[in-house]
Amino acid sequence: SAGQRLAKRLGPIALSLVVPLLLLLGWHLAVKAGMTRLIPSPAEWAQVVRELEREPSPRDTPEGHARTAANARGAAVLVAVAVQTGLRVDELRHLRAEDIGADVVRVRAWGEWRPKDREERDVPVPPAVAELARELAAWRARAVGLNGERLALGGHWIEERLSGAWSRAGLPGEPPGMHDARRTFATEMSRRPGVSLRDVQRLLGHGDIATTQRYLGRYRSDAERPAVDMGLAAVLSGAAAPVVPLRRRG
């Protein structure tokens, strides 16, 4: 292979220097790709949540309308809580009322279930989001599909509703997946003053900070070349000092 031929040419010492550089380059490209990835903005997610709650019923019966309305509300709450907390779908499926405080959502292992990488954590939230999280836990426990059977909240069911809501909202590009909710959460948190990337890593439950870096993206509403004003120009906003010509030697 090409790698084996390269190893013979470079020798073990040179190869030991090249391999880390290649790995670093690959990591850098992955991070750069993540930073340029377009993800839904909070405003776009708000449109999606509104459309999720308005999902039309495929069955024109009182029972069909009632079940569709209940699950449309549940799907809207699910997505809203996902964006606001950065929790994984599996963590949202296992969220219990006792895991929710007045201003915090806790990811805790219970029974035989464990969060990914066993990363238990506390995610601070506004009280209104905590209330939505409690509503989510209650709906998930009693959700029933149109067929009268318990709703499993599988990936296909969620993605189908996300796609429909994205289309009804008239938003551009491909519809997002639920994992994009975590990306929006990570990107939004990283832009908050005083929040470090380590803080975002802890809130997402990542074992490796490089994974967190790959989650950061940009919104369609972002300027292509944003200008950062740190206020230093305003300090020198007065008239420029007069230019003193050089004295010529006679």
Side-chain angles (χ1 to χ4, degrees):
S1 67
Q4 290 173 334
R5 290 195 297 271
L6 179 63
K8 290 180 180 179
R9 291 179 181 178
L10 295 176
I13 297 178
L15 192 60
S16 67
L17 298 175
V18 171
V19 169
L21 290 175
L22 292 176
L23 291 174
L24 181 62
L25 177 61
W27 172 82
H28 173 74
L29 292 175
V31 170
K32 187 175 181 181
M35 291 295 288
T36 58
R37 177 191 176 113
L38 276 177
I39 59 175
S41 67
E44 288 174 330
W45 278 118
Q47 294 182 63
V48 170
V49 166
R50 280 194 292 269
E51 290 299 331
L52 282 169
E53 195 172 17
R54 299 170 181 168
E55 181 182 1
S57 175
R59 294 188 184 179
D60 192 17
T61 64
E63 185 179 60
H65 283 289
R67 288 179 176 171
T68 298
N71 292 333
R73 170 70 182 184
V77 171
L78 172 71
V79 172
V81 174
V83 177
Q84 287 275 181
T85 63
L87 266 64
R88 301 177 177 92
V89 173
D90 192 46
E91 292 168 344
L92 293 167
R93 288 194 192 105
H94 290 87
L95 192 63
R96 304 169 300 169
E98 54 262 45
D99 298 327
I100 306 163
D103 57 0
V104 65
V105 172
R106 304 180 183 92
V107 178
R108 294 290 184 270
W110 59 274
E112 296 183 358
W113 179 78
R114 299 289 182 274
K116 187 177 180 180
D117 298 328
R118 299 182 179 271
E119 290 287 346
E120 296 187 336
R121 61 195 188 278
D122 293 354
V123 181
V125 296
V129 175
E131 191 61 35
L132 281 180
R134 279 187 284 272
E135 181 181 342
L136 171 62
W139 167 72
R140 180 189 51 77
R142 65 172 189 271
V144 176
L146 289 174
N147 58 5
E149 298 180 1
R150 183 174 178 180
L151 195 61
L153 296 185
H156 176 72
W157 185 89
I158 299 171
E159 300 296 335
E160 188 176 61
R161 268 133 201 89
L162 269 180
S163 179
W166 188 264
S167 176
R168 291 194 300 274
L171 293 168
E174 293 295 318
M178 281 297 288
H179 219 65
D180 287 314
R182 279 169 62 78
R183 293 188 174 95
T184 300
F185 175 83
T187 301
E188 196 67 16
M189 289 301 297
S190 71
R191 299 182 180 194
R192 299 293 173 90
V195 178
S196 70
L197 194 59
R198 288 288 181 190
D199 294 329
V200 180
Q201 176 192 3
R202 177 181 54 80
L203 292 171
L204 289 176
H206 285 156
D208 186 356
I209 197 169
T211 303
T212 306
Q213 288 176 307
R214 290 194 294 271
Y215 271 59
L216 306 183
R218 63 183 181 89
Y219 307 140
R220 290 176 182 82
S221 55
D222 289 345
E224 289 296 326
R225 298 179 62 184
V228 178
D229 186 359
M230 299 186 184
L232 298 182
V235 176
L236 302 173
S237 59
V243 177
V244 178
L246 292 175
R247 180 180 299 177
R248 294 184 178 181
R249 296 181 180 179

